[in-house]
Amino acid sequence: RKILTAQTALAMAAAFAHLLELQAKMKLRGSEYLTVQQIYRGWSLLGIVIYAALAATLALAVTVRSQRRALRLVIVAILCMVAAQMVFWAFTFPVNQETANWTVLPAHWQQLRIRWEFSHAAGAVLQFSALAALVASVLVRETR
């Protein structure tokens, strides 16, 4: 359970970084934004952590299936993690493709930036909700 929570916390922390920097990044000019976006090179490797956390959470659901309160919370965590992935693949990834991972600045880059930044913000909220649900599921289990 500790490893699962740590994996989920790591995934949430990366997502939360996007949320915390959103306000400042929305003020950047195009060339500045392209420069700043290069700090994310290699972040795709975090996908391993995200999918490992999801797999471990699914395994946890099987483990706690006889404990209704804990299972409900684990299912909430799973749904939040899946929703965060849906947001990423539906909104963030297409922008990454269109901008060649922010190495190209299309004419409508400001709309793409809004889509990219706010989809990451939504993902951060969903990842945080998943972590909160997992922590609650552990607390429910330990009080029995």
Side-chain angles (χ1 to χ4, degrees), residues 29-135:
R29 294 184 309 243
S31 61
E32 296 169 328
Y33 192 75
L34 280 182
T35 300
V36 168
Q37 287 298 91
Q38 298 315 301
I39 65 172
Y40 300 116
R41 286 188 182 170
W43 274 44
S44 61
L45 293 174
L46 284 172
I48 296 167
V49 175
I50 292 167
Y51 290 113
L54 182 56
T57 306
L58 289 166
L60 179 62
V62 172
T63 303
V64 301
R65 67 184 176 273
S66 63
Q67 302 171 31
R68 284 177 44 164
R69 287 176 35 191
L71 179 60
R72 284 185 196 143
L73 290 164
V74 171
I75 289 171
V76 167
I78 291 168
L79 292 174
C80 288
M81 294 167 114
V82 168
Q85 284 304 295
M86 290 172 65
V87 167
F88 176 82
W89 292 107
F91 298 100
T92 312
F93 185 74
V95 172
N96 288 343
Q97 295 297 104
E98 190 168 346
T99 63
N101 291 316
W102 291 104
T103 59
V104 174
L105 201 62
H108 63 293
W109 73 273
Q110 291 170 318
Q111 290 85 10
L112 293 172
R113 172 175 62 181
I114 290 168
R115 185 174 174 183
W116 196 90
E117 293 293 342
F118 283 94
S119 65
H120 272 298
V125 170
L126 288 163
Q127 291 285 3
F128 178 78
S129 299
L131 179 61
L134 281 175
V135 169

Side-chain angles (χ1 to χ4, degrees), residues 15-36:
F16 223 69
H18 288 294
L19 182 61
L20 294 174
E21 61 198 21
L22 184 143
Q23 184 179 9
K25 286 175 61 183
M26 292 303 288
K27 297 175 184 174
L28 298 176
R29 294 184 309 243
S31 61
E32 296 169 328
Y33 192 75
L34 280 182
T35 300
V36 168

